[in-house]
Amino acid sequence: MKAPTDYAHLEDQFQARIDAEEKIEPKDWMPDKYRKTLIRQISQHAHSEIVGMLPEGNWITRAPSLRRKVALLAKVQDEAGHGLYLYGAAETLGAERDDLLDELHRGEAKYSSIFNYPTLSWADIGAIGWLVDGAAIMNQVPLCRCSYGPYARAMVRVCKEESFHQRQGYEIMLTLARGTEAQKKMAQDALNRWWWPSLMMFGPNDAESKHTAQSMAWKIKRFTNDELRQRFVDITAPQAEFLGLTIPDEHLKYNEETGHYGFGPIDWDEFWQVVSGEGPCNRQRLKARRRAHEEGQWVRDAALAHAEKRRQRQAAKNDQKVA
Amino acid sequence: MTLAEAKYQYLLRMGDNALILGHRLSEWCGHGPILEQDIAMTNIALDQVGQARSLLQYAAQLEGKGRTEDDLAYKRDVMEYRNVLLVEQPNEDFAYTIVRQFLFDAFNFLLHKSLVHSKDEHLKAIAEKSLKEITYHLRYSSEWMIRLGDGTAESHQKIQAALDDLFIYTGELLTPDAVDQAIFEAGIGPDLAALQPAYQTKIDEILQQATLQKPEVKYMQSGGKDGRMHTEYLGYILAELQFVQRAYPNMEW
């Protein structure tokens, strides 16, 4: 066991490296809490990617043109890919993908609440690309400079693909907004339903956010929830105006003095309701994930059993050669 | 039947096969048995919908009535679809999905190996691009046939059951009709009957490695590619696939 003085010294050194903008790599010493915070954050992020496949996957078979179908398939596949390398990043910290998935399936691990809302029309696919991926980018671009190397590097790749998705989503919205009355109505309805949940994606107000201060000191986080939320509103409000759609917030107004858009109060009761597992689709999402996992058990078992048989046959062959 | 008509039919068959099988695979997206296989199946679905687009674009162009790939995909009803019965069969479980894919890939691979020598330059170009993808599809489905067949007792039983159910749909793949004959005589496509031995050899080779029994089939089911018959499943596929275009007709998406 290390003496407490040694430990304090290590922590000081660690913080000095962070302050000097050095990247922390898997084999470097790190405080236990730093490791745990990262495993929690990265696995939540990975879970969000794979649960996030469900609401959009819901429209693959119904995409209104073959071009849109291919783009949506590719997008949802990208999300599966993000899930893979994020689980990979979590594994560099000593976590096991199977354990992380078990936590998700038991309902103990969190994932982004936005995916607990339903996709009810084709316009929802546009709105998710535009707003949800837009908000995700706002959160994730600073993570490319996160102090933990493997996470930062994974995020560089994720962000490139996300910004492509975001443009695709906006283009779907633009096509609908320039379309017939029925299509405009569909687009407006999607904006109405996705706007507030998108603002909630940035998490509780800074005063309520329990992890922010430590995460900022460790440079896992670079901006606070409220800063990022404001930036999102500032960028998105003019885009909605360009589309000719109305953001469902009567308080939304540009403030000349601050140079920012002011916006109305967020319904935090709804936020906590969805976070606690009682949103519109929480049960369905978890059920779908659990079912895929349980029904896939025999496939994973077969793959392992077959690999083992091959290994044994190869070993037997090698023995024969030696004999 | 003129050669132009035969060509149009032939392209519809190929395009519809790719589209409907791509649709079935895409139903797995987000629900795969493991993340890596979710990605792999989506990959194949992407290839197939991509191939369907090229083929249906060309079909629409040949037809010369100003229709587009989307008109053909979204505005034809069941009896106008020309895909083989095999590809419209439901996913059921991963075993059915793999057997369906393998039985189709083995055919599709041989077909495309011939089509890269087609006298039709446009079809030849499509086939050259597709052959690379289909070579991978066949490798993927063959490997999973073997893994599941020679895996656990449970996986062996499941994949044998899927094979027993789906084998009856392999007959029409390589049974030539008037369209196939016209295409063969024009040097555009292969003599399907001549591909049969190679198809059976491939099936036998993989089944042997997978320790599976080839089902004894007295009667094959057919009618998809010549438009006489479909299974009831196709109507539901189209109801889903075409929903938006049917509910909101004549709009840009």
Side-chain angles (χ1 to χ4, degrees):
Chain A
M1 226 175 100
K2 287 190 185 81
T5 42
D6 281 347
Y7 183 74
H9 179 64
L10 281 170
E11 280 215 337
D12 287 346
Q13 275 187 334
F14 177 80
Q15 190 61 48
R17 289 187 63 194
I18 300 243
D19 293 341
E21 297 288 334
E22 273 181 51
K23 288 275 178 269
I24 307 301
E25 296 299 333
K27 287 187 176 147
D28 297 346
W29 184 88
M30 61 185 84
D32 211 34
K33 268 187 152 178
Y34 176 85
R35 183 186 301 275
K36 280 190 179 138
T37 299
L38 274 167
I39 291 176
R40 181 179 50 80
Q41 184 171 334
I42 297 173
S43 62
Q44 280 180 8
H45 191 165
H47 298 332
S48 301
E49 296 284 354
I50 60 165
V51 176
M53 294 169 75
L54 299 171
E56 290 179 279
N58 186 38
W59 277 88
I60 289 172
T61 55
R62 290 179 291 171
S65 74
L66 296 184
R67 182 174 76 91
R68 295 290 187 202
K69 189 187 291 286
V70 167
L72 183 56
L73 263 169
K75 180 185 180 206
V76 180
Q77 190 194 32
D78 281 348
E79 280 153 15
H82 297 171
L84 260 192
Y85 31 92
L86 285 164
Y87 284 123
E91 285 183 329
T92 65
L93 290 157
E96 291 284 340
R97 180 166 136 194
D98 282 347
D99 297 337
L100 298 175
L101 284 174
D102 284 344
E103 284 173 22
L104 173 69
H105 298 146
R106 284 197 305 267
E108 291 164 9
K110 297 266 183 276
Y111 56 87
S112 182
S113 276
I114 194 80
F115 301 120
N116 291 315
Y117 289 85
T119 50
L120 303 177
S121 81
W122 171 249
D124 289 20
I125 300 305
I128 288 181
W130 172 38
L131 300 173
V132 175
D133 289 314
I137 291 167
M138 220 56 84
N139 269 327
Q140 290 169 5
V141 166
L143 286 173
C144 298
R145 294 189 292 127
C146 161
S147 59
Y148 187 58
Y151 192 26
R153 289 188 289 273
M155 292 318 297
V156 171
R157 196 168 151 190
V158 169
C159 284
K160 271 187 201 153
E161 293 178 351
E162 294 289 5
S163 70
F164 180 68
H165 298 162
Q166 203 257 348
R167 281 201 299 276
Q168 241 172 29
Y170 190 71
E171 206 254 316
I172 291 176
M173 292 304 275
L174 191 61
T175 305
L176 296 174
R178 300 276 180 275
T180 63
E181 277 308 311
Q183 286 172 308
K184 272 181 224 164
K185 201 174 150 217
M186 197 185 272
Q188 181 63 53
D189 166 65
L191 174 56
N192 292 348
R193 282 182 291 108
W194 290 95
W195 174 254
W196 290 106
S198 297
L199 292 194
M200 294 176 199
M201 280 177 73
F202 297 93
N205 286 133
D206 294 348
E208 311 287 324
S209 177
K210 55 180 177 176
H211 302 299
T212 294
Q214 180 62 73
S215 285
M216 301 256 307
W218 277 332
K219 297 196 176 166
I220 294 172
K221 224 172 154 161
R222 298 272 177 172
F223 301 98
T224 70
N225 295 352
D226 287 330
E227 284 167 348
L228 291 168
R229 188 168 11 243
Q230 183 64 54
R231 191 179 296 178
F232 175 73
V233 174
D234 288 342
I235 288 179
T236 312
Q239 293 174 344
E241 200 176 323
F242 182 78
L243 290 172
L245 300 175
T246 309
I247 289 176
D249 178 0
E250 56 181 8
H251 300 288
L252 188 89
K253 198 167 179 276
Y254 186 69
N255 183 326
E256 294 284 350
E257 274 172 41
T258 61
H260 293 295
Y261 280 83
F263 53 94
I266 289 171
D267 179 356
W268 293 111
D269 286 343
E270 177 181 324
F271 174 80
W272 291 114
Q273 181 190 331
V274 182
V275 169
S276 72
E278 299 296 336
C281 298
N282 292 60
R283 282 161 204 262
Q284 290 96 316
R285 299 295 184 236
L286 260 194
K287 205 167 161 187
R289 285 312 319 161
R290 266 193 220 120
R291 189 147 130 201
H293 190 74
E294 283 162 13
E295 290 181 356
Q297 187 66 50
W298 70 270
V299 178
R300 300 191 297 276
D301 290 345
L304 284 177
H306 181 72
E308 178 58 21
K309 280 184 188 173
R310 285 179 79 111
R311 197 191 59 76
Q312 284 182 6
R313 278 179 216 142
Q314 193 56 44
K317 249 190 214 169
N318 291 346
D319 287 350
Q320 269 181 349
K321 269 187 211 158
V322 174
Chain B
M1 182 173 44
T2 64
L3 181 59
E5 282 163 358
K7 248 164 92 168
Y8 174 66
Q9 286 297 321
Y10 200 73
L11 286 163
L12 279 188
R13 291 174 181 190
M14 289 180 64
D16 291 349
N17 281 342
L19 178 60
I20 299 301
L21 188 52
H23 179 100
R24 279 301 192 205
L25 278 177
S26 78
E27 292 173 351
W28 273 104
C29 189
H31 307 276
I34 188 167
L35 202 45
E36 284 82 349
Q37 301 321 315
D38 209 306
I39 292 174
M41 284 192 283
T42 307
N43 237 334
I44 298 175
L46 265 169
D47 286 346
Q48 284 178 323
V49 180
Q51 290 168 18
R53 292 189 65 192
S54 306
L55 292 159
L56 293 178
Q57 275 164 18
Y58 186 28
Q61 182 195 325
L62 279 179
E63 190 197 28
K65 290 182 182 166
R67 293 209 281 182
T68 64
E69 59 180 82
D70 285 334
D71 291 330
L72 290 177
Y74 288 86
K75 294 176 188 169
R76 282 179 302 145
D77 203 349
V78 168
M79 291 312 288
E80 296 160 280
Y81 260 74
R82 292 292 177 267
N83 58 281
V84 292
L85 303 179
L86 177 65
V87 297
E88 67 198 41
Q89 299 311 303
N91 291 340
E92 302 278 359
D93 62 14
F94 191 66
Y96 274 80
T97 302
I98 288 300
V99 170
R100 183 185 61 205
Q101 194 66 36
F102 169 66
L103 294 174
F104 183 76
D105 290 341
F107 151 75
N108 211 25
F109 175 74
L110 293 171
L111 176 68
H112 280 76
K113 255 180 85 175
S114 302
L115 289 175
V116 294
H117 305 294
S118 176
K119 279 187 184 164
D120 184 295
E121 287 300 322
H122 194 148
L123 183 57
K124 181 173 185 261
I126 295 174
E128 277 165 355
K129 181 172 179 286
S130 303
L131 181 59
K132 286 186 200 128
E133 298 169 348
I134 295 163
T135 305
Y136 163 74
H137 302 169
L138 178 59
R139 200 177 74 211
Y140 177 84
S141 58
S142 299
E143 283 173 3
W144 273 104
M145 287 293 293
I146 296 166
R147 240 176 241 136
L148 298 180
D150 188 26
T152 61
E154 184 186 12
S155 69
H156 179 89
Q157 180 268 324
K158 279 183 192 285
I159 195 146
Q160 182 69 56
L163 184 64
D164 292 346
D165 265 1
L166 293 174
F167 206 72
I168 53 169
Y169 297 110
T170 54
E172 70 175 326
L173 296 171
L174 290 166
T175 306
D177 65 2
V179 171
D180 297 313
Q181 191 59 28
I183 290 297
F184 169 54
E185 283 166 9
I188 294 168
D191 174 8
L192 282 188
L195 298 182
Q196 276 174 13
Y199 183 72
Q200 295 306 331
T201 304
K202 182 69 189 176
I203 302 287
D204 291 343
E205 174 207 326
I206 298 300
L207 293 192
Q208 195 255 329
Q209 287 186 57
T211 69
L212 292 169
Q213 292 295 319
K214 195 165 168 179
E216 302 245 344
V217 176
K218 255 189 178 168
Y219 300 103
M220 287 283 180
Q221 296 294 320
S222 64
K225 74 174 184 180
D226 57 26
R228 279 184 297 117
M229 185 77 84
H230 277 286
T231 55
E232 290 175 347
Y233 301 114
L234 184 61
Y236 292 93
I237 293 177
L238 297 186
E240 211 172 313
L241 189 143
Q242 299 177 340
F243 159 70
V244 178
Q245 293 250 5
R246 299 284 192 189
Y248 303 89
N250 306 319
M251 299 180 199
E252 294 292 321
W253 297 95

